[in-house]
Amino acid sequence: MNDDEHLGEAEQWLRDRLRNADPARRDTPADSWLDDLVEETMSTNPESPGRKRWVPLAAAAAVFAVAAGSAAFALLGGDDEPAPRALTTTELTVAGDDITQMCMAVTADSIRAADQALEGTATEVTDGRVVITVDNWFKGGDTDLVALTPADPDLVALVGAIEFVEGEKYLIAAGDGQVSSCGLTGVYEPTLAALYAEAFPG
């Protein structure tokens, strides 16, 4: 066999291989390795789990990013509640009544003439300070608390200045920054409460 015949056989063999490898031909079986490759390529589902493996990973990454952002926002105080409002206070002094003068009769008119009038409860009582938590201002104020500088204990015993007891409820009238204890101010009781209601109706 000469070289031309050998070349002709090789060319024919190569052509046969290519023809047999053509996936469009079904009359001649393809070579097994090429057929397997072509069949795998043509039949692979692009929606298969292997192709979509990145989807759950991306979703998990997104969830983690949102959670991390929320945690950072909370740590930075973005979701903090507003600070509570500071309580306001009116300062008054408890006056001792002048023993040389007689107290006037307590009437709705005399209570109405006071500069300030309120109803509240003694929530702190010490030797030098009484704190009244205000339940209602009738006149002359709008603070949450009234801080009283109490009368000297000796004066209380001498002239009957009002003595405050923690937990008690009081009706208080004041003028010129001083709480009068000449009947206008006293422990909450029906008679005095009725006079305050008459002085400040509604």
Side-chain angles (χ1 to χ4, degrees), residues 91-95 110-118 137 139-140 172-181 184-185 196:
E91 299 280 346
L92 297 174
T93 300
V94 179
S110 61
I111 294 172
R112 190 182 301 113
D115 296 332
Q116 294 163 304
L118 64 109
W137 276 101
K139 181 182 179 181
I172 298 171
D176 296 326
Q178 291 191 326
V179 174
S180 174
S181 45
L184 300 179
T185 296
Y196 270 76

Side-chain angles (χ1 to χ4, degrees), residues 1-48:
M1 179 181 294
N2 58 33
D3 292 340
D4 291 338
E5 291 176 346
H6 182 73
L7 182 59
E9 290 180 0
E11 183 179 354
Q12 184 62 41
W13 177 85
L14 180 58
R15 288 182 178 180
D16 290 342
R17 295 277 294 201
L18 291 173
R19 184 174 61 253
N20 291 339
D22 185 358
R25 292 177 57 87
R26 292 305 177 198
D27 55 338
T28 304
D31 286 350
S32 60
W33 68 276
L34 289 172
D35 184 68
D36 292 342
L37 179 60
V38 171
E39 287 297 321
E40 180 180 356
T41 302
M42 299 296 291
S43 62
T44 299
N45 183 358
E47 299 296 326
S48 64

Side-chain angles (χ1 to χ4, degrees), residues 40-171:
E40 180 180 356
T41 302
M42 299 296 291
S43 62
T44 299
N45 183 358
E47 299 296 326
S48 64
R51 298 296 181 92
K52 291 293 185 181
R53 187 171 303 165
W54 62 272
V55 175
L57 292 176
V63 170
F64 177 81
V66 171
S70 298
F73 184 76
L75 288 174
L76 289 174
D79 201 27
D80 285 348
E81 294 292 331
R85 181 180 66 86
L87 298 178
T88 54
T89 304
T90 295
E91 299 280 346
L92 297 174
T93 300
V94 179
D97 295 316
D98 189 342
I99 59 173
T100 65
Q101 297 180 359
M102 294 184 63
C103 289
M104 297 175 58
V106 179
T107 64
D109 289 339
S110 61
I111 294 172
R112 190 182 301 113
D115 296 332
Q116 294 163 304
L118 64 109
E119 173 186 327
T121 302
T123 50
E124 179 185 333
V125 178
T126 63
D127 289 341
R129 185 178 177 86
V130 175
V131 176
I132 304 292
T133 298
V134 179
D135 299 320
N136 182 37
W137 276 101
F138 298 107
K139 181 182 179 181
D142 60 1
T143 58
D144 305 296
L145 307 173
V146 171
L148 307 176
T149 301
D152 185 280
D154 294 335
L155 189 60
V156 171
L158 181 64
V159 300
I162 187 169
E163 183 177 8
F164 290 90
V165 177
E166 188 170 329
E168 287 279 6
K169 190 172 186 177
Y170 294 88
L171 291 163

